[in-house]
Amino acid sequence: MTIPMVKAEGVHKSFGAAHILKGIDLEVAPREVFCLIGPSGSGKSTFLRCINHLEKVNAGRLSVDGQLVGYRQKGDKLYELRDSEVALQRRDIGMVFQRFNLFPHMTAIENVMEAPVQVKGESKAVARARAERLLDRVGLSDKAGNYPTQLSGGQQQRVAIARALAMEPKLMLFDEPTSALDPELVGDVLDVMRGLAEDGMTMIVVTHEMGFAREVGDALVFMDDGVVVESGHPRDVLTNPQHDRTKSFLSKVL
């Protein structure tokens, strides 16, 4: 049996009295493009942040490629990993945020090189060669020497994707990667993501881009109020939703 790339079992997350995730169960297969949709505040981004332990779950279990995230099990108990051990796990998980979070004092190529040099201890020559290939892949080889302020939002987001890919992750997480972009810049970012999907990258994408979910997604989950309301193949869920809450949401966004 193939080990799921991501497996969530009864995942709960609270912030104080606010119960954000209320028992999430789902699996993401290797090479799958898994789309998460739902209204703001439904827990999509929080769930994504739990996958790489940027947020600690309060109950349940999350595994990536068969390994517990953030914890080790001994007998019936879970023990939290040290920060250094969590950092090792995160090396295999790339994340692209709504805001680009590029280092403003570094050029595009320096942003892409930074983590492999600082985290993996790669030589600058090796890191630069990979960064050049990645910037070419996202269509920005001519912008390698530009600083973030000299790039459009869409270009900055494509640099952010190249930066995440520079660590050669087995899983990519996208948290509404186009939501902060002007509409005419969205297409270039989605084209890069389509290319990753074609190359077989496992991706979890929180998105409001229903066209992308329909065309590129292999599986889709609709979340609301911290629970999975409906799941299935994107075309099935988007064209023939079964749950009233899903129907109501899609009537407003399609």
Side-chain angles (χ1 to χ4, degrees):
M1 258 178 68
T2 304
I3 296 172
M5 182 57 74
V6 177
K7 185 172 184 177
E9 304 170 85
V11 171
H12 288 256
K13 174 63 183 176
S14 297
F15 295 102
H19 196 177
I20 306 300
L21 300 177
K22 303 172 182 175
I24 300 295
D25 294 292
L26 56 81
E27 289 188 10
V28 180
R31 303 175 67 87
E32 191 169 53
V33 178
F34 191 98
C35 297
L36 285 170
I37 66 170
S40 297
S42 59
K44 309 180 303 294
S45 295
T46 297
F47 176 69
L48 214 62
R49 291 171 65 84
C50 288
I51 293 172
N52 62 3
H53 208 58
L54 287 174
E55 301 291 353
K56 300 174 185 178
V57 302
N58 298 118
R61 299 160 62 95
L62 261 171
S63 302
V64 171
D65 202 17
Q67 281 196 319
L68 274 176
V69 173
Y71 298 90
R72 73 163 56 85
Q73 185 164 354
K74 194 171 182 180
D76 295 333
K77 292 188 176 181
L78 295 180
Y79 297 88
E80 190 167 357
L81 297 179
R82 296 191 297 270
D83 289 347
S84 59
E85 295 171 304
V86 173
L88 278 175
Q89 290 186 328
R90 285 200 191 115
R91 284 167 50 158
D92 292 329
I93 305 172
M95 188 158 186
V96 178
F97 300 87
Q98 295 178 41
R99 295 288 171 182
F100 326 120
N101 296 336
L102 298 179
F103 297 117
H105 62 292
M106 294 183 181
T107 62
I109 196 165
E110 288 168 344
N111 265 280
V112 179
M113 291 170 58
E114 180 70 2
V117 171
Q118 298 298 330
V119 178
K120 285 187 170 180
E122 283 186 356
S123 72
K124 288 190 175 182
V126 169
R128 178 173 288 274
R130 184 191 296 108
E132 288 172 349
R133 291 195 302 272
L134 288 170
L135 287 175
D136 182 58
R137 181 177 183 176
V138 300
L140 291 173
S141 54
D142 60 330
K143 303 292 184 183
N146 287 40
Y147 289 91
T149 54
Q150 299 170 314
L151 301 172
S152 70
Q155 290 169 338
Q156 289 186 61
Q157 192 62 296
R158 283 185 279 157
V159 173
I161 293 172
R163 180 177 64 177
L165 292 172
M167 290 294 284
E168 300 181 315
K170 63 178 73 170
L171 169 67
M172 284 284 284
L173 308 176
F174 292 88
D175 188 6
E176 297 187 27
T178 60
S179 66
L181 302 180
D182 292 332
E184 66 268 24
L185 302 176
V186 168
D188 290 338
V189 173
L190 294 181
D191 285 344
V192 172
M193 294 170 65
R194 283 189 187 92
L196 291 177
E198 289 166 4
D199 290 345
M201 174 63 75
T202 309
M203 300 158 59
I204 303 179
V205 185
V206 173
T207 186
H208 293 300
E209 299 292 338
M210 300 302 161
F212 174 86
R214 184 186 293 107
E215 296 163 31
V216 184
D218 299 301
L220 181 143
V221 155
F222 170 66
M223 286 179 63
D224 187 36
D225 196 27
V227 300
V228 172
V229 176
E230 190 165 343
S231 62
H233 190 278
R235 287 191 183 92
D236 296 337
V237 176
L238 294 174
T239 59
N240 188 28
Q242 300 300 302
H243 196 284
D244 287 344
R245 184 65 188 93
T246 317
K247 293 175 185 177
S248 172
F249 174 77
L250 291 175
S251 71
K252 295 179 176 67
V253 299
L254 288 178

